[in-house]
Amino acid sequence: MLQVRVHAPGDARLDEIEPPRPTARDVVVRVAACGVCGSDVSYVRLGGVAGPTGRPMPLGHEISGIVDWVGGQVEGVTVGDRVVVHPGDDDLGRIGNGGDEGGLTPMLLVREAARGRRVFPIPDDLPLDVAALAEPVAVGMRAVDQADVGPDDAVAVFGCGPIGLAAVATLLDRGIERVVAIDLSPTRLALARDVGAQTVDAGDADVWAELARLHGTAPFMFGPTPATNAFIEASGSARVLTEVLERGRAGGRMSVVALHYEPVPTSYLLLLMKQFTIRGSMEYPPRFEDAIELLSRRDLSSIVTHRLPMRQFDDALALLTGSKSCGKVLLTMEDA
């Protein structure tokens, strides 16, 4: 069968591999859809999670499908179950993030399913392609958690890719009403409006003046700032990191969920004077099911803008490395 694997920087291929050989502690999932993530783009560019390791690295960690085989020691999982796959951690073994397995393949071996919390059932009325959003939704949800947002807070989300959109959806689902989404792409801004946010086009408007207009202002010794309480950095722009600290309010908070590979100059004097909080956000909330439940409550199907067969992985990669005027790009496995 086929699998997308990274061999070296800039070198991702569709390889022929052997079918899974599961043990009694594993399950095998017939993959229906797998999202292509911005981190996948980075892995291809770098040749692996942090560079080449000397062996091919399978890609794909945003996975939905149907259980095809269940080991004898696995409980609570049945052949035919519609599921999303938790891509794991260092203890369980990672899927698509440096481990031996990856979801961009028709038959995925999920190791150690006997330990639980590796595959999660989805409602019958949730389409499998939309269910593949569970992983990025969980990432956006974690970013909101790390921003410590309260019910009366005003929030700005920088970056309207799938993670930023998931953060927007999480905020609105929790009753946070004053949410502003910021991006340069008209396509992604339209998706943010579909989800329910107010938007600011960073290419056409003064973002900080617009935040002051929409959220009001707060006093600071060097002059008023927008009264935005919390910021979620999902854009990957170093400039955003710098400006949030420079222009954000005293007592503000920022959750950084985008990948920043290069050092970014930081004014620790401003950090001190504003008593500003910056927190990193990695992976998921404690209950992965929270993401599935959000997808069941809110229709986020518009986030999926492209569905391509797995053999067109190069086209999917080009979409995400080009203008980025897209939402979630999914690959399906019908021809693999």
Side-chain angles (χ1 to χ4, degrees):
M1 65 182 187
L2 295 176
Q3 184 177 68
V4 177
R5 301 194 298 181
V6 179
H7 289 259
D11 181 7
R13 308 176 199 167
L14 272 172
D15 291 335
E16 289 277 357
I17 65 167
E18 292 297 316
R21 296 178 179 176
T23 73
R25 298 185 60 79
D26 306 331
V27 303
V28 176
V29 173
R30 184 178 297 277
V31 178
C34 183
V36 183
C37 178
S39 61
D40 294 325
V41 176
S42 297
Y43 298 159
V44 173
R45 176 174 58 84
L46 295 170
V49 171
T53 63
R55 60 185 179 85
M57 186 191 110
L59 286 180
H61 57 271
E62 303 176 2
I63 308 148
S64 66
I66 297 173
V67 175
D68 190 77
W69 187 92
V70 179
Q73 296 180 27
V74 180
E75 298 180 354
V77 181
T78 304
V79 170
D81 285 352
R82 303 168 74 252
V83 298
V84 295
V85 178
H86 190 301
D89 53 31
D90 292 331
D91 182 41
L92 290 172
R94 294 184 180 274
I95 296 172
N97 287 302
D100 294 331
E101 312 299 334
L104 288 173
T105 192
M107 300 293 284
L108 173 66
L109 175 61
V110 182
R111 301 180 189 272
E112 284 299 320
R115 296 176 64 174
R117 304 194 62 75
R118 298 239 64 183
V119 295
F120 292 84
I122 62 172
D124 291 340
D125 60 353
L126 183 62
L128 281 166
D129 58 347
V130 177
L133 292 172
E135 195 275 347
V137 165
V139 174
M141 192 172 283
R142 178 64 173 169
V144 172
D145 292 343
Q146 289 293 87
D148 195 23
V149 178
D152 297 322
D153 282 343
V155 186
V157 177
F158 282 88
C160 298
I163 303 303
L165 294 171
V168 167
T170 298
L171 289 161
L172 295 172
D173 189 64
R174 294 179 180 179
I176 313 300
E177 297 181 352
R178 295 190 294 160
V179 179
V180 177
I182 302 148
D183 205 293
L184 293 164
S185 163
T187 298
R188 289 186 165 183
L189 289 168
L191 292 174
R193 288 190 291 273
D194 286 344
V195 174
Q198 294 179 288
T199 61
V200 173
D201 185 334
D204 281 347
D206 181 327
V207 169
W208 297 98
E210 284 298 290
L211 287 177
R213 180 180 68 84
L214 294 166
H215 290 163
T217 60
F220 183 59
M221 63 180 67
F222 299 146
T225 67
T228 309
N229 304 96
F231 303 87
I232 294 173
E233 201 319 84
S235 73
S237 166
R239 178 179 173 182
V240 169
L241 287 176
T242 302
E243 287 195 356
V244 167
L245 186 53
E246 289 177 348
R247 307 291 294 273
R249 69 174 296 164
R253 305 176 299 282
M254 175 167 59
S255 169
V256 181
V257 66
L259 295 172
H260 290 266
Y261 285 98
E262 300 297 328
V264 179
T266 303
S267 171
Y268 286 94
L269 180 61
L270 279 175
L271 188 77
L272 178 152
M273 293 174 68
K274 292 186 175 182
Q275 301 187 77
F276 203 89
T277 300
I278 301 175
R279 300 180 73 181
S281 179
M282 188 73 175
E283 297 186 345
Y284 321 117
R287 287 189 76 250
F288 196 76
E289 302 96 313
D290 288 349
I292 300 169
E293 291 165 6
L294 188 149
L295 287 170
S296 299
R297 288 192 299 269
R298 302 182 75 90
D299 181 8
L300 299 185
S301 58
S302 65
I303 291 178
V304 181
T305 57
H306 294 78
R307 296 168 175 83
L308 302 172
M310 191 181 76
R311 290 180 184 273
Q312 293 184 29
F313 173 76
D314 287 345
D315 294 333
L317 202 64
L319 279 168
L320 292 167
T321 55
S323 68
K324 299 183 182 179
S325 289
C326 58
K328 174 51 61 182
V329 178
L330 289 181
L331 295 182
T332 58
M333 307 300 146
E334 292 97 342
D335 65 343

